[in-house]
Amino acid sequence: MVAERHPARPGAAGTGFGGQQPKAVQRALAMLEAVAHLGAGVSAKQISTYTRVPPATAYRILNLLVADGFLVRTPDLTGFALGRRTSELAYAAATTQPARTVAEILEDLRAETRHGLYVTSFRGGTLRMVDTDPDHEIVPAATISRNPHAHAVGKLLLAYRPGLLEHIELRPVTAHTVADPLALKSQLAHILATEVSFEDQESRIGRAALAVPVREPGSEVVGGLCVQGSVGRVSVHNAELIAFLRHGAAELTGLL
């Protein structure tokens, strides 16, 4: 009598994992994550400790990951780094993510704040509105351009395009406007150090504004994200609001 043959479980042969495939896959993924987190050159012992996988099992899985191209050995053979196939997976994931527009990002951000929120571009040394808030009165770009020293986003422009200072008249728009050249330069230096620009009733009594830079992927500042509201509610001491702006500016990187 011929014994009945059972089909082999997919992938069981040649893996060394036997009947523990799900657990082995989890361990393999954990090791890839460990190499990504700990960095190129991490040793097998460090990976074993990080993932809490027994050394003998860790060595076996690491060798399989190297053989399949998900990991590579460092030139001195003492450590591991992410391999070509892992990089291909990461690239494929990044390129399949749908690109979000400035309008979509701003719509989500505005749902999280009751203040006015808008984005400007600094390209060419000229301040231009990219997206204005439909539910709040926003200062026109032409008004800011005439008196950039009196506006949070205008000061941001001056901080990152200092050559423009030679072409503006530092006139007071309100009694709170900083029109002294030395005081303004001190403010601009502080903006460069903190990457936060603040205006307190300098363009309109009762109104305050905060702005943070928006960058290109190579870190060049190409615009600003600004929130405006009533004095006291919008403040340079409001760490939560500043963190909100910085998060929004990061979302806008490369889109202006």
Side-chain angles (χ1 to χ4, degrees):
M1 180 176 179
V2 179
E4 182 181 357
R5 291 174 178 254
H6 293 279
R9 288 189 300 274
T15 64
F17 298 148
Q20 298 182 342
Q21 276 186 293
K23 189 172 184 179
V25 170
Q26 290 173 347
R27 287 174 168 176
L29 293 174
M31 288 183 184
L32 289 174
E33 185 179 9
V35 175
H37 180 79
L38 299 174
V42 60
S43 69
K45 183 178 180 181
Q46 289 173 313
I47 296 171
S48 172
T49 301
Y50 184 88
T51 58
R52 299 181 181 179
V53 175
T57 304
Y59 295 143
R60 184 167 67 252
I61 296 175
L62 288 170
N63 285 332
L64 287 168
L65 290 172
V66 169
D68 285 342
F70 291 104
L71 291 178
V72 294
R73 290 189 179 275
T74 52
D76 60 6
L77 302 180
T78 62
F80 297 86
L82 296 178
R84 173 185 55 81
R85 292 185 69 182
T86 307
S87 299
E88 289 174 350
L89 286 173
Y91 176 77
T95 54
T96 54
Q97 290 295 323
R100 299 180 71 204
T101 66
V102 171
E104 289 170 339
I105 292 171
L106 266 291
E107 182 179 2
D108 289 346
L109 291 173
R110 286 175 183 137
E112 299 179 34
T113 181
R114 48 190 168 176
H115 305 303
L117 190 71
Y118 62 92
V119 181
T120 63
S121 168
F122 298 160
R123 292 189 182 278
T126 302
L127 191 145
R128 177 178 61 85
M129 288 289 177
V130 177
D131 189 287
T132 58
D133 195 322
D135 298 321
H136 293 81
E137 182 184 359
I138 298 298
V139 182
T143 302
I144 299 175
S145 296
R146 283 195 297 271
N147 302 289
H149 61 292
H151 300 268
V153 76
K155 291 182 184 184
L156 199 67
L157 170 67
L158 294 176
Y160 289 97
R161 304 288 192 275
L164 297 176
L165 274 170
E166 302 174 6
H167 308 290
I168 66 171
E169 179 186 351
L170 299 181
R171 56 190 174 194
V173 178
T174 73
H176 301 274
T177 306
V178 176
D180 176 73
L182 291 179
L184 179 61
K185 286 183 177 180
S186 177
Q187 276 196 355
L188 299 183
H190 186 69
I191 290 170
L192 291 175
T194 61
E195 299 193 340
V196 177
S197 178
F198 179 55
E199 164 207 343
D200 185 6
Q201 304 187 85
E202 294 183 56
S203 63
R204 183 179 302 173
I205 298 299
R207 197 200 78 157
L210 283 165
V212 298
V214 176
R215 289 181 157 82
E216 284 282 78
S219 82
E220 178 192 1
V221 172
V222 292
L225 177 62
C226 184
V227 63
Q228 66 177 43
S230 59
V231 173
R233 292 186 179 275
V234 175
S235 167
V236 74
H237 302 296
N238 190 331
E240 184 177 351
L241 187 55
I242 291 173
F244 165 76
L245 277 176
R246 284 177 168 155
H247 168 75
E251 290 274 308
L252 293 165
T253 299
L255 294 181
L256 298 189

